[in-house]
Structures are given as structure tokens and as C-alpha cells.
Amino acid sequence: MNKEIIYLFIGFFSLAAFAQNDAKRLTHFNLENKVAIQGYDPVTYFKGKPLKGKKEISTNFEGVIYNFSSVANRDTFLKKPSIYEPQFGGWCAYAMGSSGDKVEIDPETFKILDGKLYLFYNAYFNNTLKSWNKDEVSLKKKAEMNWKKFVN
């Protein structure tokens, strides 16, 4: 075989592996029509107030679509997406820690902890961020272990 054919096979199998990873990732993320965080701009959380993003200002990162409130925020995200992506695929951090379940979130109930974004359920007089704050160290550790079961 010549080098070109070998490189072609390597390229094909690399693309197939990336496509599989994206598809697997999509099954674990909390998405609406492939859009994360119910369309909220992930960068705005780190500025203190989450804002709804715009469909016209979006990007696709490993199969997940993120909307942004400004082009500057999209550019910031693209420099280091892993910083801005929500933990546990955007599912409720408290539920992931307490029971290992994927539970919907209120995109305006959040916490930045150690430079990472955590989202929480907050409805029907049940703000899970308050419960998380009572036992954060233990719940965070359990949530990380439970999340590994989904993504590994």
C-alpha cells in the first residue's frame, strides 16, 4: 500500500471515531434540539448573570450547540470550551450527587465552583442549590463518580 491510501484509512477511521464520540456525548447531555443549557450563553454565567443566547450567534462543540448573547462571548468560548461547558452534561448537580439521576435544571439556578459551572433544579419550592450547599464536598465527589458511569 502506498502512503496516501494509508493516510486515507487513518483519516476515515479518525472521523468515524469522532462521529461516534459526538453521538455518545449527545446521549448524555441535557439538550433541547441539540442546544445546551436551554439556549443560555455559557460564558455569561462566569460574568455573574446568565443571559439567553441567540440562535444567530451559536457554535457546535463536539455535537452540542451553544447559543451566545454576543460574538465576543462565542469567541471566548471557542478559545477554551471545556472551561465553559456545564458539569455533568448540564444536568442537576445535586441530583447527580444524591442519586446519580439525570434531572432537569432551571438555567438561572447555578453556581461557579473551582472555575466550573454547576446547574440545579429549582421548581415547586425545591431549590436543589440550597441542598447542595449544605453538603457540597460530599455531593460533588459523589456526582463526579456517578457521572463517570454515564460517560465511560
Side-chain angles (χ1 to χ4, degrees), residues 98-111:
S98 68
S99 62
D101 291 329
K102 292 178 178 178
V103 171
E104 292 296 328
I105 52 100
D106 169 0
E108 294 190 6
T109 305
F110 72 100
K111 184 170 190 171

Side-chain angles (χ1 to χ4, degrees), residues 55-69:
K55 289 180 185 178
E56 310 80 55
I57 309 172
S58 66
T59 193
N60 183 320
F61 178 66
E62 295 180 356
V64 176
I65 297 169
Y66 289 93
N67 293 343
F68 300 91
S69 58

